[in-house]
Amino acid sequence: MKTAIVTDSNCGISQEKAKKYGIFVLPMPFYVDDELYFEGCTMSHEEFYLRQQAGSKIYSSQPSPADVMELWDRVLEEHDELLYIPMSSGLSGSCATAQAMAQDYDGRVLVADIGRVTVTQKAAVLEARKRVLAGETAAQILKELTYAKDDCQIFLTVEDLKYLRQGGRISASSAVLGNLLNIKPILSLAGEKVEAVGKVRGDKLARKKIIQCLDECLVNKFHSDDLSEFYLAAAASMSKEDALAWKMQLEDHFDVRCSMSPIPLSLGCHLGHGTYGAALIKRMK
């Protein structure tokens, strides 16, 4: 096939699903107690969060240039070109590194810096794959993805504020006080910006607040009242039962199907177990 779609595991697509979809996923690296692991290859999500909750030192890392180029070279053995869709450049330097490396591939590698991550990145990857099957080139797909890059919005909350403190998002005193008072921050993620849009006490109010934010986003950002123009996508790092309950709550409120994906471990390093959220993603025409 002429054009290949390559992404990283921040999109939430497993290696097994990647083979099914006919795409290529670069596993993102992370460290646990100074030992290197790769998402979906050398440590499961379950073990990751058990180690995190047990107090292991965990931090994310960029993929090495050698690993990225090894994957690209392997893909280009059977394809004329590839479109690489990495995590937002606003959240990681890996996108800028990939853009620099792509210059050595004589136009055969294009990098899409579209400000997306997790379920919004996944939607872009699957849309790109669909367009490859329709015969579009990497340049055509990149142009369309770039045009639609802002047509999405994520809202999420976390269970334990200490991981945001470790990442420098909030102060140590705010994290301690917030955990004592059961404060749940509501974070907005769109493009390259992560912003706090509110805070509530308790999980029940946090879920209601996220749904309220989605309702308001539909009207105020997208100027629409028609959810048929959008995908509703949820993500969580919690038990299957809790994730299913969150998915059903979203479906009951919006009366549409909602997908559910695990939160990628690169984000789990900074958000922790118990994180959940949802996104509106406008369908591309």
Side-chain angles (χ1 to χ4, degrees):
M1 192 170 290
K2 181 181 179 182
T3 303
I5 301 301
V6 184
T7 185
D8 60 42
S9 60
N10 289 306
C11 69
I13 297 175
S14 67
Q15 296 296 327
E16 180 182 4
K17 287 289 181 67
K19 292 179 182 179
K20 175 182 176 182
Y21 297 145
I23 62 175
F24 302 88
V25 176
L26 177 73
M28 292 296 287
F30 58 92
Y31 287 85
V32 179
D33 294 329
D34 296 323
E35 185 173 347
L36 178 63
Y37 294 89
F38 293 91
E39 180 166 10
C41 297
T42 55
M43 181 176 285
S44 68
H45 281 233
E46 292 77 11
E47 183 181 355
F48 174 89
Y49 289 113
L50 286 173
R51 296 282 295 273
Q52 188 182 60
Q53 291 173 306
S56 289
K57 178 185 176 183
I58 294 180
Y59 52 96
S60 60
S61 177
Q62 291 187 36
S64 73
D67 287 345
V68 177
M69 290 189 292
E70 188 278 329
L71 175 59
W72 288 358
D73 291 342
R74 177 159 47 87
V75 171
L76 289 174
E77 289 177 0
E78 299 182 356
H79 298 80
D80 296 329
E81 60 177 5
L82 68 84
L83 177 61
Y84 183 51
I85 307 175
M87 177 186 192
S88 168
S89 62
L91 301 174
S92 171
S94 60
C95 182
T97 302
Q99 288 176 317
M101 291 188 299
Q103 297 178 15
D104 295 331
Y105 281 80
D106 299 322
R108 297 183 69 195
V109 174
L110 297 181
V111 178
D113 182 11
I114 54 174
R116 296 196 178 193
V117 70
T118 185
V119 292
T120 58
Q121 183 183 356
K122 179 180 181 180
V125 170
L126 296 182
E127 180 67 29
R129 179 58 181 162
K130 183 173 70 174
R131 290 172 183 267
V132 165
L133 294 175
E136 293 188 21
T137 66
Q140 289 172 321
I141 299 168
L142 175 58
K143 181 179 179 180
E144 290 155 353
L145 290 181
T146 301
Y147 181 79
K149 63 181 294 186
D150 296 324
D151 288 347
C152 58
Q153 185 88 34
I154 297 173
F155 296 98
L156 60 94
T157 190
V158 300
E159 182 176 277
D160 194 328
L161 295 171
K162 73 178 181 180
Y163 302 109
L164 290 178
R165 175 186 61 78
Q166 291 170 358
R169 293 290 179 183
I170 60 174
S171 67
S173 59
S174 294
V176 172
L177 184 61
N179 282 336
L180 286 173
L181 297 177
N182 197 21
I183 298 296
K184 302 287 186 180
I186 309 300
L187 305 177
S188 166
L189 176 55
E192 299 176 355
K193 296 181 179 179
V194 180
E195 299 178 329
V197 295
K199 56 185 178 180
V200 296
R201 291 189 67 176
D203 187 62
K204 185 176 181 180
L205 289 179
R207 296 184 184 216
K208 288 184 177 180
K209 182 62 176 179
I210 290 175
I211 290 173
Q212 178 189 338
C213 288
L214 291 168
D215 278 330
E216 293 173 352
C217 178
L218 186 65
V219 175
N220 298 331
K221 177 176 179 174
F222 296 114
H223 309 292
S224 176
D225 59 1
D226 184 6
L227 262 178
S228 67
E229 299 178 358
F230 296 84
Y231 297 108
L232 179 64
S237 58
M238 57 206 318
S239 70
K240 291 182 179 179
E241 295 76 14
D242 288 341
L244 178 60
W246 172 231
K247 176 180 183 292
M248 292 177 63
Q249 185 174 353
L250 290 165
E251 290 180 337
D252 288 344
H253 178 84
F254 291 103
D255 196 27
V256 297
R257 180 185 176 277
C258 178
S259 64
M260 171 58 75
S261 301
I263 289 178
L265 296 184
S266 288
L267 295 183
C269 292
H270 306 285
L271 299 175
H273 187 267
T275 298
Y276 60 89
L280 287 173
I281 309 163
K282 193 169 185 180
R283 298 176 185 269
M284 291 178 62
K285 297 180 181 178

